Every structure is written in C-alpha cells, then in structure tokens.
Amino acid sequence: MEEQIVYEDNHLLVINKKVGQLVQGDKTGDESLLESIKNHIKKRDDKPGNVFLGLVHRIDRPTSGLVIYAKTSKALSRLTQMVKNREIKKTYWAVVPKEPLPQSQRLVHYLKKNEKNNKAIIFPKPTEGAKEAILTYHIIQSLDHYMLLEIDLETGRHHQIRAQLSKTGIPIKGDLKYGSPRSNADGGIHLHARKLEFIHPVTKENIEITAPVPGQDAIWQACETGSR
C-alpha cells in the first residue's frame, strides 16, 4: 500500500489506484481501497482508535490513476466542495484506436445514467433527464495502432470519458462496455487518471501531482516513454 501513496500530509492522501481496485465498498463485498488504506495507516502509525478517512471523488474500477482521500473531516468538507465547484483540475490519459480525427477537440454531449446496466447513454443535444458532459482531448502521441489522448474534464459525469469517446468513434482500449472489440488481459481499460492540480484546502499551497502509468503494461510504458 505504501508504494501506491503518491502524496500525503496531515490533511489528505493521494493514491495511484491500480486496475481492478475499488475506491470504496460496493455490492461485490470486495475489500476497497478505503478500508485497505485505513488498515495500513492504523498499523503504520500505531493508532489505537478508528482511523478517519473520507473519499473525495471516484474513478471506475477498471481505470487506474489518482484518487484523493481526506484524513480530516475539515479537509473532506472543503475538498468535496472544491469538486462541486470544479476547482480540482483532473487530467486523464486514454489509449484509443488510431482514427483520422482533429488533433484537438472539445466534446459536448448530454449524458443520462442507465441504472439497470450501469451504463451512460449519450445524446447529442439537450434531453430530459440528461446532464451536460464536456471534455477536451488532445492527441499527444501516435503509436502503431493506437493514439494517446490527454483529456481535460470540464464536468464529472458517470462514465463520461468512456461514453463520450465511444460516441466519437474511438472507444478506449479494452472497454467492452463502450464498444472496444477486445478486452484487456487484466480486465481493465486503458484510461488513467494522470494528473491532479488544486489549491490545498488547508495550507492553500498549489498542489500538482502526476501518477506513473501501470508498470507491467507495454502500451502504457511506450506512452510514458514517448511523452517525455
């Protein structure tokens, strides 16, 4: 667990989540990162009582990358408000099929969550019950069969990046739910929460954190090397 911690102070902790890890408990009953980190801190710091840890935001189970947890209730309430106010800048990397697309594009769709199959339905124009979903992508690298996109999120909707890229004709590698022809061997998808930028909720310092890509994946490693 310690190797996954990329930032920590008295108020917050940022984890580089692995593919398949849950950020918090769900109906599967599998142990979540929330519980794993609590247990780790309790043991590491020899804490006698319960460890406070609050989840600030989520990323999907098949996705890797940065997740913020708050270590105090004050930090949790402030960070949660910052997420609502879009004061935390989130940058993602996504590996998609090589297609003739603009080098950079702002995508605006309207997204509705289907609770039955846990999937986002995308509409091209305002639709009842659908929320506006906005992102901007930049093609930052071209591989033999894939492109690496850097994505800046303006909104944070359910499965937003996955659904919007699929609607654009470039489903994320391994994402069967949104149109990728093949799954990845590890059951994950090639979507990585790469970077976070925000003002620290307590110290007011400017925080900028970048997460290394999954180390055992050849395509991710090619992306990491090529982007330097």
Side-chain angles (χ1 to χ4, degrees), residues 106-119:
R106 187 172 185 257
L107 303 180
V108 181
H109 295 100
Y110 297 85
L111 187 153
K112 186 189 286 188
K113 183 180 177 182
N114 183 329
E115 297 287 352
K116 285 185 180 177
N117 62 7
N118 189 34
K119 192 173 177 182

Side-chain angles (χ1 to χ4, degrees), residues 94-131:
V95 175
V96 299
K98 212 170 187 176
E99 296 289 348
L101 287 173
Q103 192 70 23
S104 181
Q105 193 174 188
R106 187 172 185 257
L107 303 180
V108 181
H109 295 100
Y110 297 85
L111 187 153
K112 186 189 286 188
K113 183 180 177 182
N114 183 329
E115 297 287 352
K116 285 185 180 177
N117 62 7
N118 189 34
K119 192 173 177 182
I121 307 163
I122 287 279
F123 302 93
K125 56 187 180 183
T127 303
E128 187 181 351
K131 296 177 179 177

Side-chain angles (χ1 to χ4, degrees), residues 8 17 64 86 94 98 114 117-118 122 125 151 175 181-182 198:
E8 185 179 9
K17 185 182 97 65
S64 59
R86 301 179 189 172
K98 212 170 187 176
N114 183 329
N117 62 7
N118 189 34
I122 287 279
K125 56 187 180 183
I151 297 156
D175 197 357
R182 288 182 298 280
F198 58 94

Side-chain angles (χ1 to χ4, degrees), residues 28 36 173:
T28 63
S36 298
K173 184 181 180 302

Side-chain angles (χ1 to χ4, degrees), residues 65-84:
L66 296 170
V67 185
I68 307 172
Y69 292 89
K71 292 171 70 177
T72 63
S73 56
K74 179 164 79 171
L76 179 61
S77 62
R78 288 183 182 177
L79 284 163
T80 303
Q81 194 58 48
M82 287 166 68
V83 170
K84 285 181 184 173

Side-chain angles (χ1 to χ4, degrees), residues 187-210:
I189 63 176
H190 273 74
L191 180 62
H192 181 68
R194 173 70 172 177
K195 194 174 179 183
L196 289 170
E197 296 172 76
F198 58 94
I199 302 298
H200 194 289
V202 180
T203 66
K204 304 306 177 187
E205 289 176 86
N206 187 44
I207 304 292
E208 190 175 304
I209 304 164
T210 301

